[in-house]
């Protein structure tokens, strides 16, 4: 059991510098996804559909 714990401890120490690069890649991926989503939402067809949806929601008569 002690040998296994030492092996795990060595592996954990080896990955000490990995978290910063993982956060950087995740942040870049999130920014890329946000840019694509922004382009899709601001396109003509989607913008028209969203505007129509909001107008119908505000025009509801109770």
């Amino acid at each position: 059991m002690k040998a296994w714990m030492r092996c795990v401890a060595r592996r954990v120490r080896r990955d000490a510098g990995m978290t910063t690069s993982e956060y950087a890649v995740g942040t870049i991926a999130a920014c890329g996804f946000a840019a694509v989503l922004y382009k899709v939402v601001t396109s003509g067809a989607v913008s028209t559909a969203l505007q129509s949806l909001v107008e119908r929601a505000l025009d509801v008569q109770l």
Side-chain angles (χ1 to χ4, degrees):
M1 188 70 173
K2 287 182 182 182
W4 180 78
M5 291 293 283
R6 274 187 252 130
C7 181
V8 169
R10 273 188 242 128
R11 287 185 184 176
V12 170
R13 278 187 237 133
R14 262 191 268 157
D15 290 340
M18 292 292 290
T19 56
T20 302
S21 62
E22 290 170 357
Y23 282 123
V25 170
T27 301
I28 290 169
C31 290
F33 181 71
V36 169
L37 187 61
Y38 176 76
K39 283 292 192 181
V40 168
V41 170
T42 57
S43 69
V46 175
S47 181
T48 303
L50 287 174
Q51 185 176 2
S52 172
L53 181 70
V54 170
E55 286 176 358
R56 282 189 293 152
L58 294 177
D59 196 37
V60 171
Q61 296 179 357
L62 298 174

